[in-house]
Amino acid sequence: DGFIITAGNANGTSTYSNGGGIVNYYMSSPTLTNCILRSNFATLGGAIACGEFSNPEITNCTINENLATWGGGIGCGRDSSPIISNCLINSNTAMSYGGGTYVINSNAIIIGCTISENRASSYGGGIFCEYLEPIISNCSITKNVADIGGGGIGCLVSNPMITGCIISENKAMQYHGGGIYCGRSSPSIVNCLIAANESAVDGGGIQCFSSIYGQSSPTVTSCTIADNFAERGGGGISCENSSTLTATNCIVW
């Protein structure tokens, strides 16, 4: 409670070295409160990695300037169920997916967090979700950058619940989905403001992409999607390859 971890390096001899600051494995459930994790490095989870069946509670922490291949700030792996609440996750970098947070095969709950100015070299500048149904609630996801797609949130074969969030001023530098990228994913997006995001191709606010491997069918309810920009098409919303999006009680302006 209230300590600082800095300049950690998970540089083990294995191919996958996880958790530059802290790594949680096999049913471990630590509580981290009012901590700072800064300038750490790992393959998964520059600051914190949540491994198999771990359930940490991370509250009121500052996680910044960390670096990883996946999950510059936090990496949530298989069968983990972390609760990440009221944290500042900013200025982290992923050399692949999930600049701020990487969630794969995890039912992570991310609530009340500020996720800003993170960068991913691939998808999910702020958050990247793959598989299962994580919850992202009442978060501010702003000024994140994905070099390919999903500047704010990138979803791949994942159905997260995204509620009460501000998703703004994020950028997809080379591809789709400045605010949210839905690749073969069907997230539920409720009571969100998706504004002033930019895409180099399609879907300034939201991009839906289907393929022969899976359908993209997001549900968007009571959201405002405003002032977004796409270089080619779908400044607010773009649906591609038989994607179907259901929007109810929304403003697209």
Side-chain angles (χ1 to χ4, degrees), residues 69-130:
T69 304
W70 299 286
I74 300 175
C76 305
R78 188 181 67 184
D79 297 314
S80 66
S81 299
I83 299 174
I84 305 165
S85 61
N86 300 316
C87 291
L88 173 62
I89 302 172
N90 79 305
S91 300
N92 301 286
T93 301
M95 293 177 284
S96 186
Y97 297 92
T101 304
Y102 177 74
V103 180
I104 180 170
N105 281 316
S106 169
N107 287 313
I109 297 174
I110 304 171
I111 184 168
C113 293
T114 296
I115 300 170
S116 65
E117 300 183 37
N118 302 285
R119 186 167 195 136
S121 294
S122 188
Y123 288 88
I127 302 173
F128 180 80
C129 304
E130 188 171 8

Side-chain angles (χ1 to χ4, degrees), residues 1-185:
D1 183 351
F3 62 93
I4 297 172
I5 297 175
T6 187
N9 187 343
N11 57 350
T13 56
S14 65
T15 302
Y16 298 102
S17 301
N18 301 335
I22 296 172
V23 62
N24 306 288
Y25 273 130
Y26 303 113
M27 301 179 70
S28 61
S29 302
T31 299
L32 302 171
T33 307
N34 300 325
C35 298
I36 298 171
L37 293 99
R38 176 182 297 140
S39 301
N40 304 289
F41 170 77
T43 301
L44 173 67
I48 301 172
C50 304
E52 290 89 341
F53 307 106
S54 66
N55 306 296
E57 295 186 16
I58 305 165
T59 305
N60 294 329
C61 291
T62 297
I63 298 165
N64 68 335
E65 299 179 11
N66 300 284
L67 174 66
T69 304
W70 299 286
I74 300 175
C76 305
R78 188 181 67 184
D79 297 314
S80 66
S81 299
I83 299 174
I84 305 165
S85 61
N86 300 316
C87 291
L88 173 62
I89 302 172
N90 79 305
S91 300
N92 301 286
T93 301
M95 293 177 284
S96 186
Y97 297 92
T101 304
Y102 177 74
V103 180
I104 180 170
N105 281 316
S106 169
N107 287 313
I109 297 174
I110 304 171
I111 184 168
C113 293
T114 296
I115 300 170
S116 65
E117 300 183 37
N118 302 285
R119 186 167 195 136
S121 294
S122 188
Y123 288 88
I127 302 173
F128 180 80
C129 304
E130 188 171 8
Y131 307 124
L132 299 187
E133 299 177 354
I135 295 172
I136 304 167
S137 178
N138 298 321
C139 292
S140 175
I141 302 168
T142 62
K143 298 182 180 179
N144 302 284
V145 175
D147 287 352
I148 297 180
I153 300 174
C155 305
L156 182 62
V157 199
S158 178
N159 304 320
M161 171 70 74
I162 304 169
T163 62
C165 292
I166 296 172
I167 301 167
S168 66
E169 300 181 72
N170 303 287
K171 293 183 179 181
M173 299 297 290
Q174 299 177 24
Y175 202 51
H176 303 307
I180 302 174
Y181 174 77
C182 307
R184 311 197 313 271
S185 299

